[in-house]
Amino acid sequence: MQSDLTTMQPPCGQIQRRTFLSDLGYGATGMALSMLLNREGSGQAASTSSGAVTQGPHFTPRAKSVIWIFLSGGYSQMETFDPKPELNKYGGKTYADTVYPDPFQDPRYQERARSVVQVKREHDKIMPMQVGFRKQGESGIEITDWWPHLATCIDDISFVRSMYTTDNDHAAEFQIHHGRHKLDQKQPVVGSWLSYGLGSLNQNLPEYVFLGSYTDTRVKENFSPDYLGPKYMGVEFSLDPNNSLPFGARPQTVLEKEQANQYALINELNRISSVEYPNDEKLRARINSYELAFRMQRSVPEALNLDTETKETQRLYGIDENETSIYGKRLLAARRLAERGVRFTQVYLSGYGEWDSHQKLKENHTRSCKRVDKPVAGLLKDLKRRGMLDDTVVVFCTEFGRTPAVETRGSTKMPSGRDHHPHGFTIWFAGAGVKRGYVHGATDELGFHAVESPHYVTDIHATLYHLLGLDPTRLDIPGRKRLEIDRGKPILDILS
């Protein structure tokens, strides 16, 4: 028995640091912290060749924080922000029946699309627009009748009507965040790069926060730091007032002072270990996560306490209405986080795939637009009256658009929806350093191809890097190959 015990015990002084710190940290504090600590995998925190992370703007920034609003599933560009009256003129006809070239024969069709799901996508008959459009504001920009509240903010928005991506299936959702096709090696997402490049504005809150709910675990790819390591992952916050920091609450059986002492011990052990292993970025990231989690136990509940907002503000976001309440809460929380120095708040506003209207597009988009219209408009109005549009950038996007033609795939007898469409769609920016009441780029007359000033999705990222004072070529990691398309190019025309 004695020999067995001896075998089981590690030699004195040779216990593994990570095992010891992990056991001590988890056992002493009782915190699971899964969103911060258990995603290390084979990743490694980013560093320069000398092992030191260099953070801060490379040139004078125009903005300091980003609110990224994402609508999953692919909203239809021609029923939201890019009206195409020619669809009504040729409704029910084929592309061959129009005066326009066959979009499938356009070289851009093959250049910009790589199939992952090998199915025959049949959509030859043109589908009329399912909603009306009106010119709004002093800028006279047309917007769907399904966005009555957002229409009142039209003069604060820059629309980019010429986006394209290359994935014809829903991995395009992850592609718009990290920039790579599903068949290629992934990259860190845009929020992780900004966090890596800029660092924190508030030591009590993470640089990068994810707000939203999902049932498909693949959604985690939208806030994955990949090889940058766990320190730069989006931290999931909950809007449950009793559990705003999932897995991070201090157990009632542990006093605050007691927990502080435990963290002090961990830090001292880390200081001792760092003398021998000064470049252990994995250990450093883990310890930083413990320290941040301890500070967040106080700061996060305060930041997400929406009850401290006035009733008028809550109504502005639609929090008092069942149909818009959860969406309004997410966006109000995003404003409060930006206000407190969170660099990048990613708002997963709608459920996974909600806008994927293969059928019943009119019914589905009518419902979904009503859910988010007032909250999004409320965010813009709230930011503007607080002066936050001077230093905050709002991005509103989806993964791809919808086909100009009706989808007839399968046995559907009464087709009423549009298929996935990576070749042309619309996103928009608002806020710091961005022109107001402006339209950039265009799709063709039928809304098929991005033809005027086309932009791949990483151009969105590059625009944000530019506004926040970062040169993406200076963010490259030794030993990690990035392509020019990964870095993107700023959409300079929309910048003020």
Side-chain angles (χ1 to χ4, degrees):
M1 177 65 71
Q2 180 64 37
S3 61
D4 290 342
L5 288 173
T6 303
T7 302
M8 293 171 61
Q9 297 295 328
C12 180
Q14 295 187 22
I15 184 170
Q16 295 183 6
R17 294 190 324 284
R18 291 193 185 95
T19 301
F20 175 69
L21 290 172
S22 179
D23 291 345
L24 175 66
Y26 282 119
T29 66
M31 296 171 62
L33 294 180
S34 61
M35 70 288 199
L36 291 172
L37 305 177
N38 69 353
R39 296 187 177 101
E40 293 179 62
S42 59
Q44 194 170 16
S47 66
T48 65
S49 58
S50 64
V53 177
T54 302
Q55 292 181 319
H58 301 137
F59 50 87
T60 303
R62 302 285 300 278
K64 68 178 184 180
S65 60
V66 177
I67 297 175
W68 175 285
I69 304 170
F70 183 76
L71 303 186
S72 175
Y75 55 69
S76 171
Q77 67 275 19
M78 61 278 292
E79 270 88 27
T80 51
F81 306 116
D82 190 13
K84 295 297 175 183
E86 292 294 274
L87 296 181
N88 296 338
K89 178 179 178 179
Y90 292 106
K93 300 181 183 296
T94 66
Y95 293 114
D97 295 325
T98 74
V99 297
Y100 304 108
D102 185 344
F104 292 101
Q105 300 305 314
D106 189 308
R108 286 170 289 208
Y109 182 75
Q110 295 299 330
E111 291 171 3
R112 296 177 182 171
R114 296 172 63 189
S115 295
V116 176
V117 178
Q118 299 295 333
V119 296
K120 186 177 181 181
R121 296 188 179 276
E122 300 174 350
H123 39 81
D124 293 328
K125 291 189 176 181
I126 293 170
M127 183 178 183
M129 292 194 300
Q130 301 297 293
V131 64
F133 275 71
R134 298 180 188 179
K135 293 183 178 181
Q136 301 286 352
E138 293 182 5
S139 58
I141 297 173
E142 290 183 289
I143 188 171
T144 175
D145 292 341
W146 284 336
W147 300 107
H149 294 282
L150 192 60
T152 64
C153 304
I154 203 82
D155 290 331
D156 291 314
I157 296 174
S158 264
F159 294 92
V160 181
R161 289 178 172 171
S162 53
M163 297 304 307
Y164 74 91
T165 186
T166 59
D167 198 320
N168 71 335
D169 202 61
H170 290 293
E173 168 166 325
F174 319 126
Q175 185 177 12
I176 200 171
H177 290 95
H178 59 60
R180 285 287 187 98
H181 192 279
K182 181 180 176 64
L183 300 178
D184 296 328
Q185 181 190 38
K186 293 185 180 69
Q187 288 285 315
V189 296
V190 57
S192 294
W193 279 118
L194 288 172
S195 176
Y196 169 78
L198 293 171
S200 177
L201 290 169
N202 184 336
Q203 294 300 317
N204 296 322
L205 290 169
E207 296 102 335
Y208 179 12
V209 169
F210 176 91
L211 292 172
S213 62
Y214 54 90
T215 55
D216 192 314
T217 56
R218 292 177 298 174
V219 171
K220 294 180 181 179
E221 290 186 40
N222 291 333
F223 51 98
S224 169
D226 202 73
Y227 57 74
L228 288 181
K231 176 178 173 149
Y232 302 104
M233 185 167 206
V235 180
E236 295 182 67
F237 281 178
S238 167
L239 296 184
D240 179 353
N242 298 316
N243 186 28
S244 55
L245 186 62
F247 312 111
R250 186 179 73 255
Q252 294 182 353
T253 56
V254 179
L255 298 175
E256 182 176 352
K257 180 62 175 176
E258 182 181 5
Q259 189 183 61
N261 290 337
Q262 292 162 355
Y263 277 103
L265 173 60
I266 293 175
N267 288 338
E268 179 63 18
L269 292 170
N270 179 52
R271 186 189 66 79
I272 295 171
S273 297
S274 66
V275 173
E276 184 178 0
Y277 303 98
N279 296 323
D280 192 336
E281 293 289 340
K282 210 174 218 183
L283 177 60
R284 185 183 304 172
R286 194 176 186 89
I287 297 303
N288 288 341
S289 296
Y290 278 121
E291 293 174 341
L292 176 59
F294 177 63
R295 296 192 300 270
M296 286 196 301
Q297 288 179 354
R298 280 187 172 180
S299 58
V300 172
E302 183 279 327
L304 299 182
N305 184 4
L306 307 185
D307 290 339
T308 61
E309 297 286 341
T310 66
K311 294 298 182 183
E312 183 275 332
T313 296
Q314 295 185 43
R315 286 194 297 269
L316 182 66
Y317 284 82
I319 293 174
D320 58 329
E321 303 173 28
N322 290 335
E323 197 166 29
T324 55
S325 179
I326 184 59
Y327 309 95
K329 287 178 179 178
R330 287 171 185 162
L331 291 173
L332 178 53
R335 187 223 83 200
R336 290 175 63 87
L337 291 172
E339 201 171 29
R340 286 158 176 75
V342 172
R343 288 281 191 189
F344 192 92
T345 303
Q346 183 175 347
V347 186
Y348 200 71
L349 195 57
S350 304
Y352 180 75
E354 176 175 334
W355 295 80
D356 192 26
S357 296
H358 292 276
Q359 293 296 322
K360 299 181 179 178
L361 184 142
K362 184 173 184 178
E363 176 184 333
N364 292 334
H365 269 43
T366 300
R367 179 182 62 248
S368 295
C369 285
K370 191 172 183 180
R371 287 174 173 173
V372 304
D373 175 40
K374 187 174 184 179
V376 173
L379 171 68
L380 293 182
K381 292 174 181 177
D382 198 19
L383 291 173
K384 186 175 183 178
R385 69 184 183 179
R386 293 172 183 272
M388 291 181 65
L389 281 182
D390 295 334
D391 58 22
T392 305
V393 183
V394 178
V395 177
F396 184 98
C397 61
T398 189
E399 62 218 61
F400 44 43
R402 314 302 301 185
T403 54
V406 67
E407 182 176 2
T408 57
R409 172 164 45 119
S411 59
T412 304
K413 295 181 179 180
M414 297 289 290
S416 56
R418 303 185 189 276
D419 200 1
H420 307 164
H421 191 72
H423 303 280
F425 61 102
T426 301
I427 61 98
W428 56 258
F429 293 79
V434 176
K435 289 179 182 176
R436 302 188 178 191
Y438 191 72
V439 175
H440 170 83
T443 51
D444 58 41
E445 294 297 325
L446 298 176
F448 198 106
H449 288 293
V451 294
E452 181 184 308
S453 301
H455 294 282
Y456 179 64
V457 294
T458 51
D459 289 356
I460 306 173
H461 306 179
T463 305
L464 294 179
Y465 300 148
H466 184 83
L467 288 169
L468 274 74
L470 290 177
D471 176 358
T473 65
R474 296 172 63 181
L475 297 178
D476 286 357
I477 308 302
R480 297 288 183 174
K481 183 178 180 180
R482 295 183 75 198
L483 308 176
E484 281 298 314
I485 199 169
D486 294 334
R487 304 187 186 105
K489 296 180 179 179
I491 308 174
L492 298 177
D493 185 49
I494 70 168
L495 303 184
S496 59

